[in-house]
Amino acid sequence: MAVHRFKALEEVLNRIPVNIDLPSETVSDYYGTNVFGQDSMREYLSEEAYSSVMAAIETGSRIERKMADQVAAAMKAWSKTKGVSHYTHWFQPLTGATAEKHDAFFTPIEGGKAIEKFGGDQLVQQEPDASSFPSGGIRNTFEARGYTAWDPTSPAFVIGKTLCIPTVFVSYTGEALDFKTPLLKALHGLDKAATSVCQYFDKNVSKVTATLGWEQEYFLIDTALFNARPDLIMTGRTLFGHASAKGQQLEDHYFGSIPDRATSFMRELEIESWQLGVPIKTRHNEVAPNQFECAPVFEECNLAVDHNQLLMDMMEKVARRHNFRVLLHEKPFAGINGSGKHNNWSLGTNTGKNLLSPGKTPKTNLQFLTFFINTIKAVHDNADLMRASIASANNDHRLGANEAPPAIMSIFIGSQLTQVFSELEKKVKSGKMTPDEKSALKLGIGKIPDILLDNTDRNRTSPFAFTGNKFEFRAVGSSANCAGAMTVLNAIVTDQLVHFKKDVDQLMNKGVEKDEAIFQILVDYIKSSKKILFEGNGYGEEWVKEAAKRGLNNIKTTPQALDAFVSPKTLQLFERNQVMSAREQEARHAIYLETYTKKIQIESRIIGDLSLNQIIPTAIRYQNLLIDNVYRMKELFNSSEFKSNALTQLEMIKEISERISVIKTSVDEMTEERKKANGIEDHKKQAVAYCEKVKPYFEKIRYNTDKLELIIEDELWPLPKYRELLFTK
Ligand code: ADP
Ligand code: MG
C-alpha cells in the first residue's frame, strides 16, 4: 500500500531527534582504531612480515604465501580484540556499489566442535558466488565465476563484527571485473612514467603517487517522505513533482547553519569515518535546500577511492539511524541543483613534493610546468575519453544543465598561467637560445609562485580546473565510483608522460641541451592543446558556439559518450599502458550501455506505474468532485446563472480530462517503444533507443502530471510535494 503523504508528514513532524553518544576521547585517540593499519601491523606482525607488506604498498612487490599466512594470523588476532566473527572480501563491481560476501571465521571440526580458521588462503583469494555481477560476457564465455584477491595497498578494516579486506575482482582468465583492478594498473604505470620524467629534475625521486581528494555532495530526505515516493525508492530521483513556490533562489540554505538533525547525522558519520581512518575534514550546506557536502583530506588515489566507497556505504547506514535517507543521485530534483563529486587530483613524490605546485626556483618551476602542461595535453588529446569516464544516465541530467559543468571538456588555468603560456610561446625558440634569452626565460618562470599566490580567480563553471596546486575534475557524478574517472585521468597522463620523455630524449640526442629541449617540447604542447583552455563562463550559450568553432566535442548523452571507451585510440592507449586489454574494455563498454538501458527502463516503468495507479486515479477522484459540484449547481441555479457560475469548474474538468488523456496515451506509447527497444540485441542500439525513443516521453508525462498537481485538491494528492521533501525539517 502506498503511504499517503499526510501520514508521512505527520511522522516527520513528530520526529524526536536522535541523540548520539559522542566519544569522550579526542579524535586523535580513536582515529583509525577500526583499521588494520601501520600501527596494528607493527604490533601484530613480525618485522619480516611487516616489511613485506610495506614493500608491497610502496613498490608493488609481491607478498609471499608464507608472509600472507602471517598477515592473516595477525589480522585474525587483531580482529578478535574487536569481537569480530566474520570476514569478507570487500570489492567494487561495475554496478557502482560495493559488494561483500561474509564468511564466518570458524570451521567445524570433529566432535561437534569448531575452531577459528583464517589463513593466507582465505586472505589472498576467495570465490564469491558472483555469477550475477556484470561482466560484459567475459565470465560467461570463459568461466562461470570470478575471484577476489587481496589488495595489500589498502588496509583491512572492521565494520560491526566483520573484518573487511579490500580486494580486486577478476575473472579466472585474469580479466578485470571491477573498478579497482584497472585503477591499480593505471596508478602503477603513472608512478613509473612520472618518476622517470622527474629524473630530469631531481634524481632523488623514486616514486610518484597520484593523490585524490574528493568532495561528496548529497541530499538528506526524511525516511517517511522518502518511503511515500516510489520513484525515490526505486530510482533515487523524483520523476514527478512541480517546483515549489520557493526553491533555492534565496540561497538561504547555503549560507544558513546546518539543521540540527543533519548535524547529528554528520557527527555520527564523522565519528565512524574517523574510526575507519577516513579523514573527513569539512562539512557544509550546499546550494540546494537539504543538500550538503563533505570532503576529506586528500590521500593516495587508490586509498581515497576506497574511502569514498566506504563513506557512501556508511552514509546509507548512518542516515537510516537518523530517520533520513541519503540521496546520492546526481539529479534527485528537477529545477534544483544536482550533486557532483569533485575529484581534486595531483601528483606527489616520495621526496614530499607536489608536482602540480609551483616551487621556489626556476628548476622546480620547470618541473611544475612539465607536469602541468603534460596534464593539459593529455586531457586535450583524450577529451572524449574524459567525457566518457563521467557518463551515466544520472549524470546526463547534470552535465550541461546550467548548474554543472557542461558536457564539453575544457580546462581552466586562470589568467596568470595563461599569461605564462603566452610568454613561453613568445620566448622559446626552436633554434639555439642565447644565454641572455635563457636567463630571461628562467627569470620569468621563477616568478610563478608569486603570481599564483594572489591567483584568486576561480571558475566554478569549468569541468576541469586548475586550483593552484591541483586539478579539480568537477564533472564527476555524486554517485559514481571515483575510480572510473581516476583510471582514465591517470592512464592518459601516463601515456602523455611516456611520450614527453621520448620527445625530450629525441631532442637531447640531437644535441639540444636538456632545459631547452624541455622548453621546446612544452611550447609545442601548449600550441597543440591551446584550444581546450577556456577561462569564460562554461554555462553560457556562447561557449557552446565557441567550442563548436574550436572543434571541441559536446556529447550530450551517455550512449554516444561511451563510444570513446572503445575507439581504436582508447583501446590502444589502455593496452600500451597495460591498464586494460581491448577485451576488458569492450566488456566494460557493454556493461555501461546495459546499465544505462536498465536505468532508463526502470524509470520508464515507474513513470508508467505511478501515472496509471496513482496520478490518473487521483485526478479522476478530484474530477468527480467537480462533476458532482456542477450537477448540484445545475439544480441550484437557473440556466443562465448556471452558465456563468459553473464555467470555472467546467474548464477544470476539461483540463483534467485533457491531461489524463495525454498522460495515458503517452504511457501507452512509451510502453510500446520500450517493447521495441527490448527486442534490440545490440547494446549500443538498444541504449540509443532508450535514450531517443523512450526517454523523451518522461518530460511530456511529467509536465502534465505536474500541472495536475497544481490544480488538484491538496488533500487528495498522494506524493509528497517538493516543498515538503525539501523544506520540512
Ligand atoms: P577548496 O578547493 O574548496 O579551496 P581545498 O583547496 O582545501 O579547498 O581542497 C579541496 C579538496 O582538494 C580537499 O578534498 C583537499 O583534500 C583536496 N586537495 C588539496 N590538495 C590536494 C592534492 N595535492 N592532491 C589531491 N587533492 C588535494
Ligand atoms: Mg572544490
Side-chain angles (χ1 to χ4, degrees), residues 334-346:
I336 298 281
N337 271 16
S339 301
K341 175 150 53 198
H342 299 174
N343 278 206
N344 295 274
W345 171 91
S346 190

Side-chain angles (χ1 to χ4, degrees), residues 151-367:
D151 166 19
T153 64
S154 182
F157 52 90
V158 165
I159 291 190
K161 298 289 169 218
T162 304
L163 171 69
C164 302
I165 301 156
T167 56
V168 295
F169 179 40
V170 291
S171 73
Y172 263 112
T173 39
E175 276 111 349
L177 298 173
D178 67 345
F179 278 109
K180 193 191 259 279
T181 309
L183 176 67
L184 286 173
K185 290 182 176 174
L187 292 170
H188 182 68
L190 182 79
D191 173 16
K192 279 202 301 195
T195 301
S196 114
V197 168
C198 280
Q199 298 304 305
Y200 287 140
F201 311 98
D202 183 354
K203 298 277 181 221
N204 294 323
V205 173
S206 59
K207 187 178 169 69
V208 174
T209 308
T211 50
L212 166 65
W214 38 262
E215 301 164 54
Q216 177 74 54
E217 291 180 338
Y218 61 97
F219 281 86
L220 283 179
I221 300 297
D222 189 276
T223 311
L225 297 172
F226 176 91
N227 284 335
R229 296 278 321 209
D231 47 357
L232 277 182
I233 297 174
M234 305 300 283
T235 72
R237 75 176 180 110
T238 54
L239 299 167
F240 299 111
H242 197 279
S244 52
K246 174 181 156 180
Q248 62 188 50
Q249 66 274 58
L250 296 175
E251 299 200 341
D252 45 358
H253 181 67
Y254 192 63
F255 295 111
S257 59
I258 301 177
D260 285 350
R261 279 185 66 198
T263 308
S264 147
F265 156 80
M266 287 176 194
R267 295 196 80 164
E268 186 163 355
L269 180 67
E270 283 165 355
I271 292 164
E272 297 235 340
S273 298
W274 293 334
Q275 286 168 343
L276 285 162
V278 182
I280 295 295
K281 184 93 170 152
T282 58
R283 54 156 116 123
H284 58 80
N285 290 346
E286 263 305 322
V287 180
N290 282 353
Q291 191 187 26
F292 307 94
E293 181 190 290
C294 68
V297 176
F298 69 93
E299 297 177 284
E300 183 280 320
C301 188
N302 174 47
L303 188 59
V305 168
D306 281 3
H307 280 167
N308 181 239
Q309 290 296 112
L310 193 51
L311 179 95
M312 290 194 289
D313 283 354
M314 283 189 299
M315 284 174 118
E316 292 268 356
K317 286 183 192 150
V318 176
R320 282 171 191 249
R321 278 184 233 144
H322 292 259
N323 300 308
F324 279 129
R325 293 302 296 262
V326 57
L327 305 183
L328 293 169
H329 194 289
E330 280 73 0
K331 190 73 180 174
F333 304 100
I336 298 281
N337 271 16
S339 301
K341 175 150 53 198
H342 299 174
N343 278 206
N344 295 274
W345 171 91
S346 190
L347 299 168
T349 66
N350 61 309
T351 55
K353 169 113 189 64
N354 175 353
L355 293 170
L356 289 175
S357 177
K360 293 195 171 62
T361 63
K363 192 178 93 174
T364 49
N365 277 346
L366 186 54
Q367 177 172 276

Side-chain angles (χ1 to χ4, degrees), residues 235 329-331 392-398 479 599 603:
T235 72
H329 194 289
E330 280 73 0
K331 190 73 180 174
S392 70
N394 294 2
N395 218 11
D396 278 0
H397 296 287
R398 236 181 113 237
S479 70
K599 285 220 160 165
E603 289 190 349

Side-chain angles (χ1 to χ4, degrees), residues 419-435:
Q419 184 63 28
V420 171
F421 278 14
S422 66
E423 289 287 302
L424 284 176
E425 278 190 80
K426 260 187 264 159
K427 285 185 183 154
V428 176
K429 298 209 190 106
S430 49
K432 208 167 162 43
M433 290 161 87
T434 66

